[in-house]
């Protein structure tokens, strides 16, 4: 079962506290909080939560689902919130004063507390059949969930899988806690106390505000004939994680992506390409508008200049005459007035020595070395472990989810930017 005592499941308690303190010290500003209340007995704690959020200086607007209304009345919520509660997607009065897109843009963050098992499932599958689920799709602000449900429902594989998917999309979980539940059973599933939710509700500092970050991700595909191509095992997860974190940290992000099965992170502009030549062209076109270039793509090193126009028939031996693809990162580094350039090094041995050589050969500012001979990190996996190599040092970041690795890399990059 996914152990989620803190919003970022992948951080240890110590690491988490470190991040919270770092964020809190930098972001002690009141926020616009859109509070969603779904159907759970823990909804009775919502008025207290609103009171504490307002006491902390935040502005709160409340969206109540139909099931949530069974547990707490709009009148109670309105009394503590100081303004009308939003309930319906197709409500002419509410839409006239603040339509749902406007409401989504107003929010600095979305907090769903309590978040029921049903609502978590809806969110996972992108349903938009009521105001709250529609807002969750329309909003580009960080989303926090404080789950509340029976312990068996929380530990059910369906819920756990939904939670895993949402965490991988950057949704932050606050709780649930362990203890006696309203139904009399005991275990994980209690909504964490309102005071705890308020103290965990911190946003990453906009440490990349005003930066324009260009990121390549995923593999490239080089045609051999109409049905076959040369490619590699890159899933795009590392590059997309970098795009997601950079965007959450305030940067304008352009993602140039080879073919992947991933969804483009919120608020990122994406240029889809297939071949190394197309990726090179897109980078060439975009580079001057960006302050940072991160080359996380696994670009094919070779291509077939003249792929067959008809499917090649099976034969006992096939000889392909391959040529080298353009060195996209190397060319970017040679440009005048170039952005800060970060490359990756996919290595199977002598990690740091090979990365140092790539740093020098390509004239990059940083090289992120990862060992791609291991199955639990590198290609395709959700985790990675990297060494950030500069001309003066090599910083080891131990194995962690790619989102966390991306945070570490980008914090490092930020220290070089003026
Ligand atoms: O996508 P995932 O499944 O999440 O896996 C992540 C990853 C392992 C692909 C990623 O972390 C990674 O290491 N990306 C770079 C892979 C690679 O091509 O490494 P390389 O050592 O062959 O290339 C060195 C650098 O030159 C890289 O920044 C690469 O993007 C760049 N390059 C390579 C060849 C080429 N023709 N042009 C380039 O710009």
């Amino acid at each position: 079962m996914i152990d989620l005592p803190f919003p970022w499941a992948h951080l240890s308690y110590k690491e988490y506290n470190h991040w919270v303190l770092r964020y809190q010290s930098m972001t002690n500003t009141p926020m616009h909080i859109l509070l969603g209340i779904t159907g759970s007995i823990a909804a009775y704690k919502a008025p207290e939560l609103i009171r504490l959020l307002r006491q902390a200086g935040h502005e709160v607007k409340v969206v109540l689902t139909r099931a949530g209304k069974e547990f707490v009345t709009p009148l109670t919520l309105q009394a503590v919130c100081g303004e009308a509660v939003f309930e319906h997607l197709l409500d002419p009065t509410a839409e006239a004063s603040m339509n749902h897109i406007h409401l989504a843009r107003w929010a600095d963050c979305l907090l769903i507390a309590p978040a029921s098992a049903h609502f978590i499932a809806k969110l996972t599958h992108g349903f938009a059949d009521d105001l709250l689920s529609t807002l969750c799709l329309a909003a580009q602000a960080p989303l926090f969930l404080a789950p509340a449900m029976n312990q068996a429902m929380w530990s059910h594989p369906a819920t756990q899988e939904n939670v895993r998917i949402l965490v991988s999309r950057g949704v932050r979980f606050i709780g649930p806690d362990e203890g006696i539940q309203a139904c009399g059973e005991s275990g994980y599933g209690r909504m964490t106390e309102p005071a705890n939710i308020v103290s965990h509700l911190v946003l990453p500092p906009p440490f990349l505000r005003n930066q324009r970050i260009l990121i390549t991700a995923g593999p490239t595909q080089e045609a051999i004939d109409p049905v076959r191509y040369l490619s590699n095992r890159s899933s795009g997860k590392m590059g997309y994680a970098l795009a997601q974190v950079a965007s959450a940290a305030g940067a304008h992000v352009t993602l140039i992506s080879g073919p992947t099965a991933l969804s483009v992170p919120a608020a990122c502009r994406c240029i889809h390409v297939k071949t190394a030549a197309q990726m090179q062209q897109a980078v060439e076109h975009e580079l001057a508008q960006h302050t940072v270039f991160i080359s996380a793509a696994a670009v094919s090193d070779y291509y077939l200049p003249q792929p067959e126009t008809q499917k090649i028939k099976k034969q006992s031996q096939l000889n392909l005459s391959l040529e080298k693809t353009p060195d996209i990162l190397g060319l970017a580094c040679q440009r005048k007035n170039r952005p800060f350039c970060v490359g990756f090094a996919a290595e199977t041995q002598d990690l740091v020595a090979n990365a140092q050589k790539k740093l020098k050969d390509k004239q990059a500012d940083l090289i992120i070395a990862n060992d791609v001979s291991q199955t639990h990190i590198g290609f395709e996996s959700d985790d990675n472990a990297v060494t950030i190599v500069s001309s003066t040092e090599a910083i080891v970041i131990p194995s962690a989810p790619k989102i966390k690795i991306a945070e570490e890399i980008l914090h490092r990059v930020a220290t070089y930017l003026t």
Side-chain angles (χ1 to χ4, degrees):
M1 191 171 89
I2 295 174
D3 179 20
L4 277 175
F6 313 111
W8 292 302
H10 52 275
L11 300 186
S12 70
Y13 183 76
K14 202 171 144 215
E15 281 176 315
Y16 176 71
N17 268 343
H18 166 79
W19 282 87
V20 166
L21 287 176
R22 192 154 139 190
Y23 288 173
Q24 272 176 340
S25 64
M26 294 172 80
T27 60
N28 206 9
T29 48
M31 292 188 284
H32 286 172
I33 297 178
L34 195 68
L35 173 65
I37 300 170
T38 71
S40 156
I41 180 64
Y44 83 88
K45 296 179 184 173
E48 174 65 358
L49 176 58
I50 296 168
R51 194 186 67 76
L52 291 175
L53 287 170
R54 294 189 71 198
Q55 189 177 299
H58 303 303
E59 212 178 304
V60 183
K61 291 192 190 294
V62 176
V63 177
L64 187 60
T65 67
R66 202 160 52 133
K69 198 174 168 181
E70 299 291 328
F71 295 93
V72 60
T73 70
L75 198 63
T76 311
L77 297 169
Q78 182 174 324
V80 279
C81 168
E83 55 179 286
V85 168
F86 295 88
E87 289 180 61
H88 308 291
L89 181 57
L90 306 173
D91 174 349
T93 339
E95 286 287 297
S97 62
M98 191 179 228
N99 71 34
H100 64 276
I101 298 296
H102 188 182
L103 203 52
R105 298 290 166 267
W106 171 87
D108 292 322
C109 88
L110 272 71
L111 166 65
I112 316 292
S116 65
H118 176 70
F119 192 79
I120 287 173
K122 270 174 61 163
L123 209 56
T124 308
H125 297 285
F127 278 65
D129 59 354
D130 64 5
L131 179 59
L132 188 57
S133 53
T134 305
L135 284 170
C136 288
L137 281 189
Q140 291 165 336
L143 174 58
F144 293 81
L145 299 187
M149 66 196 75
N150 167 269
Q151 52 83 25
M153 291 170 74
W154 173 251
S155 58
H156 193 284
T159 307
Q160 289 296 303
E161 181 61 8
N162 290 339
V163 170
R164 195 189 61 73
I165 291 170
L166 292 175
V167 168
S168 75
R169 287 184 199 153
V171 174
R172 292 143 205 212
F173 280 79
I174 307 177
D177 286 351
E178 190 182 16
I180 301 283
Q181 304 197 292
C183 56
E185 293 182 8
S186 182
Y188 273 102
R190 278 169 62 101
M191 186 172 93
T192 194
E193 289 308 315
N196 206 20
I197 295 176
V198 177
S199 68
H200 280 107
L201 205 62
V202 283
L203 294 174
F207 65 94
L208 292 173
R209 186 179 279 159
N210 299 328
Q211 297 299 331
R212 303 185 61 85
I213 304 196
L214 180 65
I215 299 171
T216 62
T220 61
Q221 292 177 353
E222 312 299 332
I224 296 173
D225 68 14
V227 296
R228 303 180 179 93
Y229 55 75
L230 292 172
S231 193
N232 57 64
R233 288 174 37 218
S234 171
S235 62
K237 288 178 186 170
M238 190 65 245
Y240 277 59
L242 284 160
Q244 186 174 326
V245 174
S247 166
H252 288 274
V253 178
T254 306
L255 184 61
I256 300 178
S257 175
T260 74
L262 305 175
S263 338
V264 176
C268 296
R269 179 173 153 248
C270 185
I271 301 169
H272 294 280
V273 296
K274 264 197 181 157
T275 64
Q278 289 167 356
M279 190 171 271
Q280 153 65 10
Q281 237 177 34
V283 169
E284 183 81 24
H285 187 256
E286 294 294 326
L287 206 65
Q289 284 86 261
H290 290 81
T291 54
V292 178
F293 172 46
I294 306 181
S295 182
V299 185
S300 296
D301 288 318
Y302 296 95
Y303 76 113
L304 203 63
Q306 256 133 26
E308 295 296 330
T309 51
Q310 303 298 326
K311 184 181 171 193
I312 301 172
K313 291 290 171 205
K314 285 193 195 78
Q315 42 199 288
S316 56
Q317 211 178 28
L318 176 66
N319 291 318
L320 297 173
S321 176
L322 303 176
E323 285 187 15
K324 279 205 79 157
T325 52
D327 180 354
I328 303 172
L329 175 63
L331 287 169
C333 291
Q334 281 167 24
R335 289 258 296 245
K336 263 195 185 159
N337 301 324
R338 65 168 175 81
F340 187 83
C341 288
V342 182
F344 271 72
E347 303 295 341
T348 54
Q349 57 187 348
D350 301 330
L351 202 65
V352 174
N354 282 326
Q356 279 165 338
K357 183 167 181 326
K358 275 183 184 153
L359 184 80
K360 213 167 151 208
D361 290 350
K362 298 193 186 238
Q363 302 275 299
D365 297 300
L366 290 179
I367 288 283
I368 315 299
N370 44 194
D371 183 345
V372 289
S373 65
Q374 302 187 41
T375 50
H376 66 288
I377 56 170
F379 283 118
E380 293 169 312
S381 63
D382 289 336
D383 294 356
N384 208 356
V386 300
T387 305
I388 303 177
V389 177
S390 69
S391 56
T392 52
E393 56 187 349
I395 302 163
V396 176
I397 312 291
S399 180
K402 282 178 177 165
I403 282 281
K404 171 84 164 69
I405 297 289
E407 283 171 354
E408 293 288 350
I409 293 171
L410 289 168
H411 269 287
R412 196 73 216 157
V413 168
T415 62
Y416 290 89
L417 308 172
T418 48

Short mmCIF file of all heavy atoms in Angstrom, two decimals, residues 15 27 49 54 56 64 71 74 89 108 115 165 172 221-222 225 287 304 307 327 330 348 360 364 369 389:
data_model
loop_
_atom_site.label_atom_id
_atom_site.label_comp_id
_atom_site.label_asym_id
_atom_site.label_seq_id
_atom_site.Cartn_x
_atom_site.Cartn_y
_atom_site.Cartn_z
N GLU A 15 13.11 15.07 5.30
CA GLU A 15 13.22 15.80 4.02
C GLU A 15 12.03 16.72 3.84
O GLU A 15 12.14 17.85 3.41
CB GLU A 15 13.22 14.82 2.84
CG GLU A 15 14.52 14.15 2.59
CD GLU A 15 14.33 13.14 1.47
OE1 GLU A 15 13.34 12.39 1.48
OE2 GLU A 15 15.18 13.10 0.59
N THR A 27 7.58 31.85 0.97
CA THR A 27 6.23 32.11 0.44
C THR A 27 5.24 32.45 1.53
O THR A 27 4.18 31.86 1.62
CB THR A 27 5.67 30.90 -0.30
OG1 THR A 27 5.62 29.83 0.64
CG2 THR A 27 6.44 30.52 -1.49
N LEU A 49 -11.92 24.25 9.20
CA LEU A 49 -10.82 24.41 8.24
C LEU A 49 -10.89 25.80 7.60
O LEU A 49 -9.86 26.50 7.49
CB LEU A 49 -10.93 23.31 7.17
CG LEU A 49 -9.93 23.35 6.02
CD1 LEU A 49 -8.48 23.31 6.53
CD2 LEU A 49 -10.15 22.19 5.06
N ARG A 54 -8.76 31.25 6.86
CA ARG A 54 -8.97 32.71 6.85
C ARG A 54 -8.13 33.39 7.92
O ARG A 54 -7.56 34.46 7.71
CB ARG A 54 -10.45 33.03 7.03
CG ARG A 54 -11.27 32.54 5.83
CD ARG A 54 -12.68 33.04 5.89
NE ARG A 54 -12.77 34.46 5.63
CZ ARG A 54 -13.81 35.21 5.94
NH1 ARG A 54 -14.86 34.68 6.53
NH2 ARG A 54 -13.83 36.49 5.68
N ALA A 56 -5.33 32.42 8.85
CA ALA A 56 -3.93 32.46 8.36
C ALA A 56 -3.77 33.51 7.26
O ALA A 56 -2.70 33.64 6.67
CB ALA A 56 -3.54 31.09 7.84
N LEU A 64 -19.06 23.16 -3.10
CA LEU A 64 -19.63 22.03 -2.39
C LEU A 64 -20.23 21.06 -3.40
O LEU A 64 -21.01 21.47 -4.27
CB LEU A 64 -20.73 22.57 -1.46
CG LEU A 64 -21.40 21.64 -0.47
CD1 LEU A 64 -20.41 21.02 0.51
CD2 LEU A 64 -22.49 22.40 0.31
N PHE A 71 -23.65 16.36 4.15
CA PHE A 71 -22.95 16.33 5.43
C PHE A 71 -22.77 17.71 6.07
O PHE A 71 -22.55 17.81 7.26
CB PHE A 71 -21.56 15.69 5.25
CG PHE A 71 -21.62 14.25 4.86
CD1 PHE A 71 -21.58 13.87 3.52
CD2 PHE A 71 -21.73 13.25 5.82
CE1 PHE A 71 -21.64 12.53 3.16
CE2 PHE A 71 -21.79 11.92 5.46
CZ PHE A 71 -21.75 11.56 4.13
N PRO A 74 -24.78 24.54 3.06
CA PRO A 74 -24.19 25.75 2.44
C PRO A 74 -24.27 26.95 3.38
O PRO A 74 -23.37 27.78 3.42
CB PRO A 74 -25.07 25.97 1.20
CG PRO A 74 -25.70 24.66 0.91
CD PRO A 74 -25.83 23.94 2.22
N LEU A 89 -22.57 23.46 -11.63
CA LEU A 89 -21.82 23.81 -12.84
C LEU A 89 -22.67 24.71 -13.74
O LEU A 89 -22.18 25.67 -14.31
CB LEU A 89 -21.44 22.52 -13.58
CG LEU A 89 -20.64 22.66 -14.86
CD1 LEU A 89 -19.35 23.42 -14.61
CD2 LEU A 89 -20.31 21.29 -15.44
N ASP A 108 -5.07 30.28 -6.38
CA ASP A 108 -3.63 30.02 -6.30
C ASP A 108 -3.40 28.55 -6.02
O ASP A 108 -2.36 27.99 -6.32
CB ASP A 108 -2.98 30.83 -5.17
CG ASP A 108 -2.99 32.31 -5.46
OD1 ASP A 108 -2.78 32.67 -6.62
OD2 ASP A 108 -3.24 33.09 -4.53
N ALA A 115 -11.58 14.71 0.67
CA ALA A 115 -11.63 14.14 -0.67
C ALA A 115 -12.07 12.69 -0.52
O ALA A 115 -11.35 11.88 0.07
CB ALA A 115 -10.25 14.23 -1.34
N ILE A 165 -1.44 7.28 -9.37
CA ILE A 165 -1.51 8.03 -10.64
C ILE A 165 -1.55 9.54 -10.36
O ILE A 165 -0.84 10.33 -10.98
CB ILE A 165 -2.76 7.59 -11.45
CG1 ILE A 165 -2.57 6.16 -11.95
CG2 ILE A 165 -3.03 8.54 -12.62
CD1 ILE A 165 -3.81 5.53 -12.55
N ARG A 172 -0.80 16.73 -4.64
CA ARG A 172 -0.19 16.56 -3.32
C ARG A 172 -1.22 16.08 -2.31
O ARG A 172 -2.30 16.66 -2.21
CB ARG A 172 0.41 17.88 -2.84
CG ARG A 172 1.58 18.28 -3.69
CD ARG A 172 1.60 19.76 -3.87
NE ARG A 172 2.31 20.06 -5.10
CZ ARG A 172 3.02 21.13 -5.28
NH1 ARG A 172 3.14 22.02 -4.34
NH2 ARG A 172 3.62 21.34 -6.43
N GLN A 221 12.54 8.79 -33.10
CA GLN A 221 12.34 7.60 -33.95
C GLN A 221 12.89 7.90 -35.32
O GLN A 221 12.52 8.91 -35.93
CB GLN A 221 10.85 7.28 -34.06
CG GLN A 221 10.22 6.81 -32.75
CD GLN A 221 8.72 6.58 -32.88
OE1 GLN A 221 8.10 6.89 -33.91
NE2 GLN A 221 8.13 6.02 -31.84
N GLU A 222 13.76 7.03 -35.82
CA GLU A 222 14.37 7.22 -37.14
C GLU A 222 13.89 6.11 -38.05
O GLU A 222 14.17 4.93 -37.80
CB GLU A 222 15.91 7.21 -37.02
CG GLU A 222 16.47 8.09 -35.90
CD GLU A 222 16.14 9.57 -36.06
OE1 GLU A 222 15.97 10.03 -37.20
OE2 GLU A 222 16.05 10.27 -35.02
N ASP A 225 11.98 1.88 -42.69
CA ASP A 225 11.05 1.71 -43.81
C ASP A 225 9.68 2.14 -43.29
O ASP A 225 9.59 2.64 -42.15
CB ASP A 225 11.12 0.27 -44.36
CG ASP A 225 10.56 -0.77 -43.39
OD1 ASP A 225 9.89 -0.38 -42.41
OD2 ASP A 225 10.76 -1.97 -43.61
N LEU A 287 15.52 28.19 -29.28
CA LEU A 287 16.62 28.44 -28.33
C LEU A 287 16.75 29.90 -27.89
O LEU A 287 16.85 30.20 -26.71
CB LEU A 287 17.93 27.95 -28.94
CG LEU A 287 19.03 27.57 -27.95
CD1 LEU A 287 18.62 26.37 -27.12
CD2 LEU A 287 20.32 27.26 -28.69
N LEU A 304 18.95 6.74 -40.70
CA LEU A 304 19.10 6.21 -42.05
C LEU A 304 18.76 7.36 -43.01
O LEU A 304 17.60 7.76 -43.09
CB LEU A 304 18.09 5.07 -42.22
CG LEU A 304 18.36 4.02 -43.28
CD1 LEU A 304 19.63 3.26 -42.96
CD2 LEU A 304 17.17 3.04 -43.31
N PRO A 307 15.50 6.27 -45.86
CA PRO A 307 14.72 5.10 -45.47
C PRO A 307 14.00 4.51 -46.69
O PRO A 307 13.66 5.26 -47.61
CB PRO A 307 13.72 5.65 -44.45
CG PRO A 307 13.80 7.12 -44.53
CD PRO A 307 15.05 7.51 -45.22
N ASP A 327 24.26 16.69 -33.31
CA ASP A 327 24.42 16.76 -31.85
C ASP A 327 23.66 18.02 -31.39
O ASP A 327 24.21 19.13 -31.39
CB ASP A 327 25.90 16.84 -31.50
CG ASP A 327 26.11 16.92 -29.99
OD1 ASP A 327 25.11 17.04 -29.24
OD2 ASP A 327 27.28 16.89 -29.56
N GLY A 330 25.21 19.82 -28.36
CA GLY A 330 26.51 20.38 -28.73
C GLY A 330 26.35 21.64 -29.58
O GLY A 330 27.03 22.65 -29.36
N THR A 348 26.57 3.59 -18.61
CA THR A 348 26.49 2.27 -17.97
C THR A 348 27.74 1.99 -17.14
O THR A 348 27.82 1.00 -16.43
CB THR A 348 26.32 1.16 -19.04
OG1 THR A 348 27.38 1.30 -19.98
CG2 THR A 348 24.98 1.27 -19.75
N LYS A 360 32.82 18.72 -21.11
CA LYS A 360 33.90 19.41 -21.81
C LYS A 360 33.68 19.39 -23.33
O LYS A 360 33.72 20.43 -23.99
CB LYS A 360 35.22 18.71 -21.46
CG LYS A 360 36.39 19.63 -21.41
CD LYS A 360 37.56 18.96 -20.77
CE LYS A 360 38.81 19.59 -21.37
NZ LYS A 360 39.95 18.69 -21.37
N ALA A 364 28.91 22.23 -22.26
CA ALA A 364 27.67 22.48 -21.52
C ALA A 364 27.99 23.10 -20.16
O ALA A 364 29.15 23.09 -19.72
CB ALA A 364 26.91 21.18 -21.34
N ALA A 369 24.32 13.14 -14.85
CA ALA A 369 24.70 11.77 -15.21
C ALA A 369 23.75 10.78 -14.56
O ALA A 369 23.45 10.89 -13.37
CB ALA A 369 26.13 11.51 -14.75
N VAL A 389 26.94 17.14 -12.54
CA VAL A 389 28.38 17.39 -12.76
C VAL A 389 28.58 18.78 -13.38
O VAL A 389 27.99 19.09 -14.41
CB VAL A 389 28.95 16.30 -13.70
CG1 VAL A 389 30.41 16.57 -14.01
CG2 VAL A 389 28.78 14.91 -13.08
#
